[in-house]
Structure formats: C-alpha cells, structure tokens
Amino acid sequence: MNKYFLFFIFLIFTGCAFNTPKISKSINFTAISPLIKINDAGFLHKISGGDKIELYKSGVLVLELVDKNGKICLNGACDDELIFNQKFFKNAYYKGLLSEILNFKPIFNGKNLTETNCGFTQIFDGIKYEICGGMLNFKDSKNGLKIKLKELN
C-alpha cells in the first residue's frame, strides 16, 4: 500500500514538470494575416521541441500558438507546418519559417541579409524582415501580412 501511495505522489509532482517552459520572455505580439488579427501582451516560451506563444487580454488567454515537432497549433487546432503556412502566410514557403521568426533568426537561408548595428534586415520579393535588439518586424506586402514581436523588460 505504501509503495502505491509513493508512486502516486511521484506521478503528481513529476507530471507537471515535463510541460514547464525552458525559457520564458514577456512580449507584445501583433499579427495581421488572413488567419488572425491580434495585438496583445503575453509570453514567448521555449518548450521541449519548439516554441509557444500565449497572449492574454484582461488576464484571459486569448491565443495559444504552439510550434512543435513539425506541427503548428493555434488554440488547439493543429496543422502540418506547410498547411499552417498556407493559411497564415498565404504561401506554404518552407518548414521552419515560423520557428526562425520566433527565434529572431534569418529567414530564407539569409537571402539579401544586411547586418545593422543592432541586428539585421532582409528585403526581397515584397518581404521586409527586420531584427533590432528585442524588436522583430516582418512584413509581406504582397500578401498583406504583418508580424511584430517586441520583448518586454
């Protein structure tokens, strides 16, 4: 009986430990796309195998975007990355694009990358992507898409 009780206690305390984020940052996130239009504050979490954005309005979770293991889930509805890209960006582009954006990395293999004093800029095919310190701006003028992400202190 005592062994079962200890095992039960072990499960309770370790079950939540596997879902805890590795790193969390406070952010302001804006996205204007055919799929969503939102501008709220929240958190960018680095989780095992990917990234997660949680946005809140008046303390209520209004958006959860999870990019993990080849799937992207928006408020619990999951799609393969290329299908999500088609819906969100209006173009399938390539797997890993959203992850590169959320991690402030160059996109499209660094195409037309110009380093600046605080980060870099990429401009090509109607896309303008800028990273400067804790600020990210992505604009696709052909498809009417904007993403802004600002790290808050």
Side-chain angles (χ1 to χ4, degrees):
M1 178 77 166
N2 198 15
K3 290 179 188 177
Y4 296 114
F5 179 72
L6 289 174
F7 180 70
F8 179 71
I9 296 297
F10 173 77
L11 284 178
I12 288 173
F13 286 111
T14 59
C16 296
F18 295 113
N19 294 323
T20 55
K22 295 179 178 182
I23 298 171
S24 293
K25 296 178 184 177
S26 298
I27 60 165
N28 189 34
F29 181 77
T30 302
I32 299 170
S33 85
L35 189 59
I36 60 172
K37 290 175 180 45
I38 195 158
N39 178 19
D40 282 304
F43 300 96
L44 172 59
H45 302 293
K46 302 296 175 200
I47 57 174
S48 179
D51 303 292
K52 176 165 68 168
I53 290 181
E54 293 177 331
L55 299 182
Y56 295 88
K57 183 171 270 183
S58 300
V60 176
L61 181 67
V62 293
L63 180 124
E64 182 181 58
L65 179 67
V66 180
D67 179 4
K68 183 176 178 180
N69 299 329
K71 299 267 185 211
I72 300 176
C73 303
L74 180 62
N75 293 334
C78 299
D79 286 312
D80 176 75
E81 282 187 68
L82 296 178
I83 293 170
F84 177 85
N85 287 354
Q86 184 65 48
K87 292 176 182 178
F88 186 80
F89 294 104
K90 279 189 164 177
N91 192 320
Y93 292 124
Y94 61 92
K95 289 187 176 195
L97 175 62
L98 184 63
S99 178
E100 290 172 350
I101 291 171
L102 295 180
N103 287 287
F104 289 59
K105 293 184 178 175
I107 57 175
F108 292 91
N109 293 317
K111 184 176 183 178
N112 292 349
L113 188 131
T114 304
E115 291 187 15
T116 63
N117 61 350
C118 60
F120 63 87
T121 301
Q122 290 179 260
I123 301 172
F124 59 93
D125 301 331
I127 293 174
K128 184 175 183 181
Y129 178 57
E130 296 177 284
I131 302 290
C132 185
M135 178 74 103
L136 175 151
N137 286 305
F138 176 94
K139 183 176 182 181
D140 180 346
S141 56
K142 284 184 182 177
N143 295 313
L145 174 75
K146 291 181 186 179
I147 299 172
K148 290 186 178 186
L149 196 152
K150 180 181 180 183
E151 294 178 358
L152 305 174
N153 293 333

